[in-house]
Amino acid sequence: MEKEERIFIRIQKSRKENWKKLCSKKRISLSSLIINSVENRIFNDERRMVMAFIEKQGNVFIKIETNINQVARIVNGQKFISEKLLEDFSNTLSEIEKLKKEQNMIFSRIYSILGK
């Protein structure tokens, strides 16, 4: 493991206080703010927001899948589904499949950004 070095910089006291307020609001350290800004990396607070978004998206699709299973259970119990209802259900499933593929592409891009 590489030994850490210190860098001393001179800035106005008011600027330092503004940076510290920003860090406090973002719940990150001043070192993290400076290093990630210089290296053009994503901040930890942004990473947390992205992960929360991903988790929320997963929950949305779980609810959709549950609803699909409920419809299937009803149809299996009745042993009948109207032509119109079947067509609507198929269209909905196709739309969900498209959205899921799009979501996965977005997640792939997000993960590549998070990895930096």
Side-chain angles (χ1 to χ4, degrees), residues 82-112:
S82 70
E83 194 73 30
K84 173 77 172 119
L85 186 57
L86 181 60
E87 184 179 335
D88 290 345
F89 189 68
S90 293
N91 290 339
T92 303
L93 287 177
S94 296
E95 187 64 28
I96 290 170
E97 183 180 11
K98 289 178 194 172
L99 291 173
K100 191 72 170 176
K101 285 180 182 177
E102 185 178 334
Q103 174 189 286
N104 289 342
M105 287 177 21
I106 291 169
F107 286 172
S108 293
R109 284 189 237 140
I110 289 171
Y111 285 132
S112 69

Side-chain angles (χ1 to χ4, degrees), residues 54-71:
I54 290 171
E55 185 175 316
K56 182 180 174 185
Q57 289 299 107
N59 291 339
V60 167
F61 278 102
I62 287 171
K63 288 178 184 177
I64 291 169
E65 291 167 358
T66 300
N67 290 341
I68 290 169
N69 288 335
Q70 289 172 346
V71 169

Side-chain angles (χ1 to χ4, degrees), residues 2-38:
E2 192 175 341
K3 184 177 176 183
E4 292 186 5
E5 295 280 333
R6 290 190 180 264
I7 297 176
F8 297 96
I9 60 172
R10 295 180 198 267
I11 60 171
Q12 298 164 334
K13 187 173 184 162
S14 61
R15 180 174 281 170
K16 180 181 177 184
E17 291 306 313
N18 288 339
W19 287 6
K20 288 173 85 175
K21 285 179 190 173
L22 177 65
C23 290
S24 178
K25 191 165 78 173
K26 290 180 167 279
R27 296 183 5 218
I28 59 175
S29 68
L30 185 56
S31 294
S32 176
L33 174 73
I34 294 169
I35 291 168
N36 290 334
S37 295
V38 169

